[in-house]
């Protein structure tokens, strides 16, 4: 924020104010430099009347925010909060999209794996009928296209209806 500051002009004004305070007003006190800076930047406490200006109660310079009024500081903070919230919302949307894509890829991989298991399972590779049924049941558990109950167990197919 120092790009727009004319430091030479500020230094000149500060020296002029200090000269006036010392030579013309015979200023003495512990707040000499603070008062010189106030005068340099034209600071007026809230509630003081300015020449032909309306007094605004929020025009306090706050040292923690640099050389700006509280209203300007509040405006800057609200802008920063707005952009931070917008960035957070964008990031959350991207995370939702990525999770949906990962779930889709997992479903495709599970379907491919279940198909591979079913293709490889036959009387020659798995000679026992009960083991073969167990392998096919495991493939049904893996396959996302097979309907499942609320606990993730495959719902048995009606072999009598066929």
């Amino acid at each position: 924020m120092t790009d727009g500051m004319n430091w030479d002009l500020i230094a000149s004004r500060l020296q002029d104010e200090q000269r006036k305070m010392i030579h013309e007003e015979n200023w003495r006190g512990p707040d000499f430099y603070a008062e010189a800076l106030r005068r340099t930047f034209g600071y007026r406490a809230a509630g003081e009347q300015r020449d032909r200006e309306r007094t605004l109660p929020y025009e306090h310079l706050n040292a923690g925010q640099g050389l700006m009024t509280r209203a300007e500081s509040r405006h800057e903070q609200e802008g920063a909060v707005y952009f931070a919230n917008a960035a957070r919302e964008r990031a959350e949307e991207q995370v939702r999209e990525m999770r949906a894509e990962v779930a889709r890829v997992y479903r495709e991989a599970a379907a491919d794996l279940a198909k591979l298991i079913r293709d490889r399972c036959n009387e020659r590779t798995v000679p026992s009928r009960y083991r073969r049924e167990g392998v096919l049941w495991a493939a049904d558990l893996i396959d996302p296209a097979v309907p499942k109950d609320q606990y993730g167990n495959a719902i048995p197919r009606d072999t009598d209806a066929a």
Side-chain angles (χ1 to χ4, degrees):
M1 298 202 62
T2 60
D3 296 337
M5 300 294 279
N6 186 348
W7 292 106
D8 294 332
L9 180 63
I10 293 172
S12 172
R13 285 183 186 168
L14 180 62
Q15 288 175 353
D16 287 342
E17 290 299 329
Q18 288 176 342
R19 182 188 51 75
K20 286 179 195 174
M21 289 172 66
I22 292 172
H23 298 296
E24 295 174 12
E25 299 173 15
N26 201 16
W27 180 274
R28 298 284 183 255
D31 293 335
F32 176 78
Y33 292 108
E35 181 62 26
L37 283 171
R38 284 186 197 102
R39 291 180 183 190
T40 300
F41 292 112
Y43 173 76
R44 301 271 198 290
E48 282 185 21
Q49 288 295 338
R50 291 173 177 78
D51 299 333
R52 290 184 248 134
E53 287 184 31
R54 201 172 116 216
T55 305
L56 299 175
Y58 53 80
E59 285 188 348
H60 292 283
L61 287 177
N62 192 348
Q65 296 293 333
L67 300 174
M68 62 174 46
T69 64
R70 288 183 181 166
E72 291 171 327
S73 170
R74 191 176 321 115
H75 177 73
E76 291 285 328
Q77 289 173 349
E78 288 171 358
V81 167
Y82 170 79
F83 286 114
N85 286 338
R88 179 185 49 80
E89 289 172 4
R90 256 193 324 274
E92 288 173 353
E93 181 61 32
Q94 288 175 344
V95 167
R96 276 193 293 276
E97 291 172 1
M98 286 185 222
R99 286 182 176 157
E101 178 66 15
V102 166
R104 184 190 64 78
V105 169
Y106 279 175
R107 281 192 304 273
E108 287 180 4
D112 291 344
L113 180 62
K115 183 181 179 304
L116 178 70
I117 290 172
R118 287 188 189 107
D119 291 346
R120 299 282 312 263
C121 179
N122 57 37
E123 291 179 5
R124 185 168 176 237
T125 57
V126 184
S128 170
R129 176 181 149 224
Y130 295 110
R131 287 185 182 171
R132 196 168 41 252
E133 288 176 1
V135 170
L136 293 176
W137 177 69
D140 286 346
L141 289 178
I142 294 171
D143 193 355
V146 174
K148 296 179 181 61
D149 64 8
Q150 63 183 357
Y151 303 109
N153 298 321
I155 297 174
R157 299 180 198 158
D158 283 334
T159 54
D160 297 336

